Amino acid sequence: MQWSMVVNDCKRNRSITLALLLFMVFAEALAVLSALMGVQTYTSISALYKVAQPPHFVQMHKGPIDELQISKFFAEHEMVTYSQISTMLDVYGESITVIGSKAPYDLSGCRLDIGLVKQNPDKDLLLNSSHEKVVLQEGEIGIPTLLQKMYGVEIGDRIVLSSNGIQKEFVVKECILDAMMNSPMASSTRILLSDRDFDGLEGRVGEKEYLIEAYLTNPKDANAFKTAYEDASLAQNGQAVTYAILFILSALTDIVTVFVLLLVSLLLVVVSFICVKFTIMAALEEEVKEIGTMKAIGLTFVDIRGLYLAKYRTLAVAGIVAGYLVALCTIGAVTSHISSTFGATRFSFLTVLVSLAVSCLVFLLLDSYCKKTLRKIQKLTVVDALVSGKGFGKRKASSKDGLHRVRRLPVNALLAVREVLHAIPDWTIVFTVVVIAFLMIMIPVNLLNTFEAPEFITYMGSSLEDILIEVENGEQLETNAAKVNQVLATDGSIAAYNRYRTVRVKTSGVKGTLINLDIDTGKMAGKGLQYLDGRAPEGQHELAISYLNANALEKGVGETLVLSLAAGREEYLVSGIYQDVTSGGYTAKAIHDFADLEAKKYSFSVILKDSHEVESKASAWATLLGAGITVDPMERFIDQTLGGVAKQLRAMVIAVVMLGASLVVLITVLFLKLRLAKDGAEIAILKAIGFSHQDILWQYLLKMGLVSLGGVLTGMVLTAFLGERLVNGALAMADLGVRKVHLITDPLVAYGVCPLVLLALILLVTSIVLRTSKNKNIISLVRE
């Protein structure tokens, strides 16, 4: 009996049932997609790491190396289970030319350090998309997926290497997965050669760089081991990276995507709840006399609720199943970045378990909400339903707003405003959905604007200037730094430039052990950064530290940090805590020069008099300064560092905008269909006393416009106050070194395009729906 009632009710209200079902499908699909993507990101990286086995600690080094001394150090530490030293031949992008289906091009625009390597025997392996160890023959080459995505290199293309007067041609055999260097934020990437080709080129092309790798009994000891290695004064002319940092940098793009998906799915679940409540209440209001009759003949609340609950449970189950199937069909497109970066992996038991758990949770939430809404039946008495006709709504005997005395307002406007003011709960669904749609669209759009804005460099430990010049660590460090300083000092096109010198000092950790602290020094060090607390250093004995360093050292603004220098132990005041994702996020800034300490790195930030000359000036300086010095326009630096994140996010934002627009259209149709059915008697009366169909159309347009405008304005306010809190909450959980981001809003989009498009969509749909009721005469409306 219940099943036949469900089928008949669905047939009678097809459009409403379909709209409600669609929202349940969307909510379920996105909830499952966000769960699947989160688990798939973790399992894919784990699967890649299991086979590739990246090191728990790696020290990059340029210059002479004492392998026996390093091997002895590793042997003396019980926590080290395995170690190896790999050699890279560093070449520059202009030395590599790609010849394929497109016109030949080189990689001169690549700011990543490119290293030629051969395959390692057992650990830190370079794999193919099936997680198999890549073995190349002479004349073959493996291009990392990072470069393949950036430049569109395809298997079968020819690669010409020209360096130090030597030219050699290779054929691209594989696009390789590099567990250690698969992110632009790693600053380096590796190209795989056969053993024979590598041995033939070693010592003849490029500059040698060593990867000193250690595997530990417990990866969590990597930071402690890093300090011990640096204290031993071993080869360390380069960046040191730990396992945890490798994992986080690898997953950054997909962490952002999961956040957006999760946000949208949560908002859609809320919309589904609103739709369920609205349709239930509309059905109850329409059938109040039938409910009263059922109560009068002795049916209990549980019996009556069961009749209604059967329909919504059926819809919920259908929506959950359909949404789950949609998620399974689209997961390939959503996780394409994961597959191309970490290799194709099958769904694990954990993936299936989590997705099923999310589905069950969505169903239970919907079922629980339906039960809560249907409790209103219990409070309805037979007298209210059959005699007084009160129903479920609270009716006011009269209204005393005084609007009826306003003679300047047209009659249609007066009727529309009064109905909205006196029946606000009836219009809540439109208001709430417009607010949610605005949030759903603008938070991801603002997040994308922030990632693409030049100002984002201030979250990466650098101030915003026109050009960034970095002098690589090596034997020519001081010579190259002096060369850069001379060029900048004599160039008349420069408005100002700042020099930063990176040194390494020791400080006391939480447990009293000495740890190393990398400090960028210079007159403008720390200026122009995003500070969570405090300010940039101003005095000679002040120090600003990064957020991750503040956590590791358990220091706050106003506290002192003891540095161990050659002259003895000196106290430095922590002036501020800033955000940084470079060098693993563990940095510090000071204006004191620490002249007695050896420099580990130099960097220069340049502001030009004419910002239009940035590209040409950067290119000219790169040619003039030569090898060992990287010259990048700041915008290019940001694009190559975060371009992958922004590209993935941009595709997601486009999908979210389309979804938000569809959401508004569907809800408007659903609401108006129910509203017109409920207002049939009122419309009949208006037509009987002389109002035309055009008058009624204008009334509904004004009602929907007023409510939607209120929703848009509320959405603007909530986006401003809630958007940053949601993003910053996700960043804090990710622990990337950035905890607080000020979202950058495009005023034209946020206050112009988005509100106008939403309002135009709602009014257009309202006009279309109202025209469908034009042919109904007064008699048919009264009968309904």
Side-chain angles (χ1 to χ4, degrees), residues 668-687:
T668 303
V669 172
L670 169 65
F671 175 80
L672 286 172
K673 287 285 186 181
L674 289 172
R675 191 74 198 178
L676 288 172
K678 186 178 178 181
D679 293 349
E682 287 84 347
I683 293 173
I685 293 170
L686 288 174
K687 284 193 171 185

Side-chain angles (χ1 to χ4, degrees), residues 46 170 296 318 351 416 542 657 691 775:
S46 299
F170 302 90
T351 307
E542 289 186 346
V657 169
F691 283 88
N775 297 327

Side-chain angles (χ1 to χ4, degrees), residues 37 41 45 146 149 182-185 247-260 334 337-338 341-342 447 451 641-650 652 736:
M37 190 168 181
T41 299
I45 298 176
L146 190 60
K149 291 177 186 176
N182 63 359
S183 168
M185 297 181 73
F247 195 97
I248 289 173
L249 293 183
S250 296
L252 178 61
T253 300
D254 302 297
I255 287 172
V256 173
T257 306
V258 169
F259 166 74
V260 173
V334 176
H337 176 266
I338 301 174
T341 306
F342 310 115
L447 187 61
F451 271 100
T641 305
L642 291 168
V645 181
K647 183 179 179 181
Q648 180 85 348
L649 185 57
R650 192 181 301 113
M652 188 61 59
L736 296 171

Side-chain angles (χ1 to χ4, degrees), residues 610-632:
D610 185 358
S611 58
H612 296 95
E613 296 182 355
V614 170
E615 289 289 341
S616 60
K617 189 56 78 172
S619 178
W621 284 343
T623 304
L624 177 63
L625 295 171
I629 301 170
T630 304
V631 183
D632 277 317

